[in-house]
Amino acid sequence: RFNWGMFKHGQVFQLQPLPESSGEHEVEESLEALPRQPQFQEAIQKLDEAIRTDWVWLEDHKTLQVDAIRWEKNQREPSFLLRGSELEKGEAWLAQASGKDPEPTVLQTQFLAASRQEEIRQQKRTNRLQRLFSISVAVGLIVAVALGIIALLQRNEAQAQARESLSGKLV
């Protein structure tokens, strides 16, 4: 509905000859456009609405609504949720919603909330895996050091036994 506004001859305005026009001028120069009421006022209101429309807001609203509907149609499958910078962009969009037209839908709000919850859940899972990996590396390091110490002690003991056996044979 915002793609164009029609100011069509015969509907919104009418052409009338200028009272002082003589036949010496081009046809366009001898006519004047007079508004037809109330059609002209309606057309001006539509034009004003189109000029004041926040097109970026409207495009973001549409994109987010399409994503939310896709999520809804797929039984709210988490793989359809927003992540990372797209989620942050959506949350910033929602934070600017006050006084905007159209307002965010309930589905859009639910979609963004579910996206944030899934992001938190994934972050907790990642943190848990990182902790598990760190603990595994630490345990592996401790085992390696312990085995190294045992090997060193056994080597020293073997060398001592070898010296004793050599000294016993020499005597």
Side-chain angles (χ1 to χ4, degrees):
R1 70 177 197 204
F2 294 115
N3 288 343
W4 61 61
M6 299 294 284
F7 283 76
K8 194 171 181 184
H9 167 62
Q11 290 178 353
V12 176
F13 67 93
Q14 59 192 15
L15 296 176
Q16 290 188 348
L18 289 169
E20 67 274 350
S21 87
S22 62
E24 303 168 8
H25 302 289
E26 294 288 325
V27 175
E28 292 84 18
E29 295 175 3
S30 64
L31 297 175
E32 69 177 330
L34 298 175
R36 297 185 80 178
Q37 304 297 339
Q39 297 91 337
F40 184 75
Q41 287 302 320
E42 290 170 6
I44 290 294
Q45 287 173 348
K46 286 180 183 178
L47 177 63
D48 182 58
E49 182 180 350
I51 289 170
R52 295 176 191 277
T53 297
D54 184 344
W55 295 104
V56 173
W57 172 263
L58 204 57
E59 182 64 25
D60 290 344
H61 188 282
K62 179 187 79 170
T63 300
L64 193 59
Q65 186 67 14
V66 167
D67 290 346
I69 289 170
R70 185 178 306 120
W71 171 67
E72 178 79 1
K73 284 185 176 182
N74 286 282
Q75 288 79 40
R76 298 185 174 216
E77 167 65 35
S79 64
F80 289 91
L81 294 170
L82 298 179
R83 290 184 177 45
S85 63
E86 287 299 314
L87 174 56
E88 290 174 10
K89 181 181 173 189
E91 289 172 331
W93 175 85
L94 187 61
Q96 298 172 2
S98 179
K100 297 284 188 168
D101 184 35
E103 293 180 357
T105 65
V106 171
L107 181 60
Q108 287 171 330
T109 305
Q110 291 172 346
F111 177 64
L112 289 170
S115 294
R116 175 51 62 196
Q117 288 172 349
E118 181 65 16
E119 186 85 352
I120 290 168
R121 192 181 75 71
Q122 288 294 330
Q123 187 62 45
K124 285 180 180 178
R125 183 174 180 264
T126 300
N127 290 344
R128 196 169 41 249
L129 289 174
Q130 286 175 342
R131 277 193 308 273
L132 182 60
F133 178 75
S134 297
I135 290 169
S136 298
V137 168
V139 168
L141 185 60
I142 290 169
V143 168
V145 168
L147 290 175
I149 291 171
I150 291 170
L152 182 63
L153 292 173
Q154 286 179 345
R155 184 193 70 127
N156 290 343
E157 187 178 325
Q159 285 176 343
Q161 286 176 358
R163 278 193 299 268
E164 281 180 30
S165 108
L166 277 178
S167 66
K169 288 182 182 177
L170 290 176
V171 179

